[in-house]
Amino acid sequence: LLYTIKFEGDMTLQVEKTVVAAAPSGAARKKHPGKAVMAGGFAGGLEILCTFPTEYVKTQLQLDSRAITPRYTGIADCIKKTFSTHGVLGFYRGLSSLLYGSIPKASVRFMGYEALRNKLVDKDGKLTQGRTILCGLGAGVMEAVVIVCPMETVKVKFIHDQNQPNPRYRGFFHGVREIVKQEGLRGTYQGLTATVLKQGSNQAIRFFVFNNLKSYFQDGDNTKEIGAARTFFCGGVAGAASVFGNTPLDVVKTRMQGLDRHLYRNTFHCAQMVLKHDGLVGFYKGTVPRLGRVVFDVAFVFMIYEQTMKVLDYLWKTD
């Protein structure tokens, strides 16, 4: 309310009351992309340190599925043989390539999402369902092209190289040099189409499910805090939904980025070969270990991201 005091000619005092429009009480504030870069990178770095062993097992099983004589009979057998051969550190082969990429990957993802969201929200700070999917899709495509494809290619080749009688790669930078030397920069962008499809669908599903669950707990008030536990729960459900939604794309992507990539003409030929030799079941190789990793992964990242954003909002005023 705005009160205005006026004096008329006869010195009579008048008080006028004017209603001034305020921002909707339930409107969520736009998030600064710079904060998203910092919070996303911090969350991504912590996440990969915790979840890489399950990613390692998943990738081993996917690559082993097409061997003439498979080395592993299942998840437990893969864990047992890896530990007996390489010890605990064996589960972290290829970690450096993911660690170097996970921080910028999460940074690009959340920056892309927040930048798109800031452009597409309505005057009440809300997104339609379609625009929520679009923001997640855009963020996934952005991270796929800029970070994920080259990072995942190097990671898969490191892990696959370990299975060879005489491993060629001595470390991250040596591996990158060898790949670029032998295959050019194109060698780090193998399976780009599958990666874009995977990451785009991944983030579209995750942000869609996460935001809808979060809105449910907020009871229509976008400014309401739901707490770390509920944020973790929303992220976990979003992660599970994305696993069942796009594991087939993850299988194709992994095969396109392995050392036997030359067996496939393109992404669609790879998918045809999987269907021909392994049937529909072949598209879900490694689902169980991936489910265990992704549920925790997504839940953890969303929780850390949201909590870090609160700290940054307190320390860095950008409104």
Side-chain angles (χ1 to χ4, degrees):
L1 298 179
L2 176 65
Y3 293 91
T4 304
I5 299 175
K6 294 183 178 180
F7 288 94
E8 299 296 331
D10 58 358
M11 299 303 290
T12 302
L13 179 67
Q14 290 189 340
V15 180
E16 296 181 358
K17 183 171 68 173
T18 304
V19 178
V20 179
S25 60
R29 294 180 301 171
K30 294 182 178 180
K31 295 180 180 179
H32 193 282
K35 293 179 181 178
V37 168
M38 298 174 66
F42 181 68
L46 288 180
E47 170 268 320
I48 198 59
L49 290 174
C50 297
T51 62
F52 186 79
T54 55
E55 175 69 11
Y56 176 89
V57 172
K58 179 214 73 171
T59 305
Q60 285 280 41
L61 291 175
Q62 288 180 349
L63 294 174
D64 188 58
S65 65
R66 66 182 186 278
I68 297 176
T69 305
R71 297 178 57 195
Y72 310 118
T73 59
I75 298 172
D77 187 51
C78 179
I79 294 173
K80 179 181 178 181
K81 289 181 178 177
T82 299
F83 180 76
S84 63
T85 305
H86 303 286
V88 175
L89 294 180
F91 294 100
Y92 286 90
R93 277 294 297 269
L95 171 65
S96 56
S97 62
L98 269 192
L99 190 59
Y100 296 147
S102 288
I103 293 175
K105 178 179 76 170
S107 293
V108 169
R109 178 198 314 150
F110 283 105
M111 179 195 68
Y113 176 80
E114 298 298 354
L116 289 171
R117 183 184 182 282
N118 290 345
K119 294 290 185 182
L120 297 178
V121 290
D122 60 21
K123 60 183 177 64
D124 295 330
K126 298 180 180 180
L127 285 173
T128 63
Q129 301 287 29
R131 289 186 174 185
T132 300
I133 292 176
L134 182 61
C135 289
L137 179 64
V141 171
M142 192 180 302
E143 71 172 354
V145 174
V146 177
I147 302 294
V148 177
C149 189
M151 178 191 71
E152 288 283 305
T153 299
V154 173
K155 180 211 73 174
V156 171
K157 289 191 175 186
F158 270 172
I159 294 177
H160 199 175
D161 183 62
Q162 181 184 338
N163 292 329
Q164 307 307 307
N166 300 303
R168 294 179 295 167
Y169 306 141
R170 296 193 299 269
F172 175 76
F173 293 108
H174 177 258
V176 172
R177 284 199 304 271
E178 289 298 306
I179 292 171
V180 174
K181 180 180 178 180
Q182 296 173 13
E183 306 175 43
L185 288 176
R186 184 180 180 183
T188 62
Y189 271 90
Q190 293 173 355
L192 177 61
T193 301
T195 304
V196 168
L197 291 173
K198 177 204 169 188
Q199 293 304 122
S201 60
N202 240 351
Q203 301 311 326
I205 293 171
R206 290 175 186 178
F207 278 105
F208 177 79
V209 173
F210 177 82
N211 282 316
N212 274 278
L213 286 174
K214 183 178 179 181
S215 295
Y216 171 78
F217 287 122
Q218 288 177 319
D219 296 323
D221 181 2
N222 284 355
T223 62
K224 181 180 178 182
E225 299 290 345
I226 65 172
R230 287 182 173 180
T231 301
F232 189 89
F233 172 77
C234 293
V237 175
S242 70
V243 169
F244 290 109
N246 76 354
T247 288
L249 290 172
D250 184 58
V251 170
V252 173
K253 174 195 70 68
T254 299
R255 295 197 179 193
M256 286 294 294
Q257 293 172 334
L259 296 179
D260 293 336
R261 181 252 183 273
H262 63 279
L263 297 176
Y264 311 113
R265 294 193 298 270
N266 51 49
T267 299
F268 299 104
H269 179 247
C270 179
Q272 289 176 339
M273 291 298 99
V274 173
L275 182 62
K276 179 180 179 179
H277 296 292
D278 301 318
L280 291 175
V281 176
F283 287 107
Y284 283 89
K285 290 283 186 178
T287 298
V288 174
R290 184 177 180 230
L291 183 65
R293 179 189 68 84
V294 171
V295 168
F296 176 82
D297 171 358
V298 179
F300 183 84
V301 168
F302 270 116
M303 181 187 71
I304 297 299
Y305 175 78
E306 294 281 326
Q307 299 305 310
T308 304
M309 284 296 287
K310 291 179 186 178
V311 175
L312 291 176
D313 284 338
Y314 176 78
L315 298 175
W316 181 9
K317 305 298 182 182
T318 55
D319 294 335

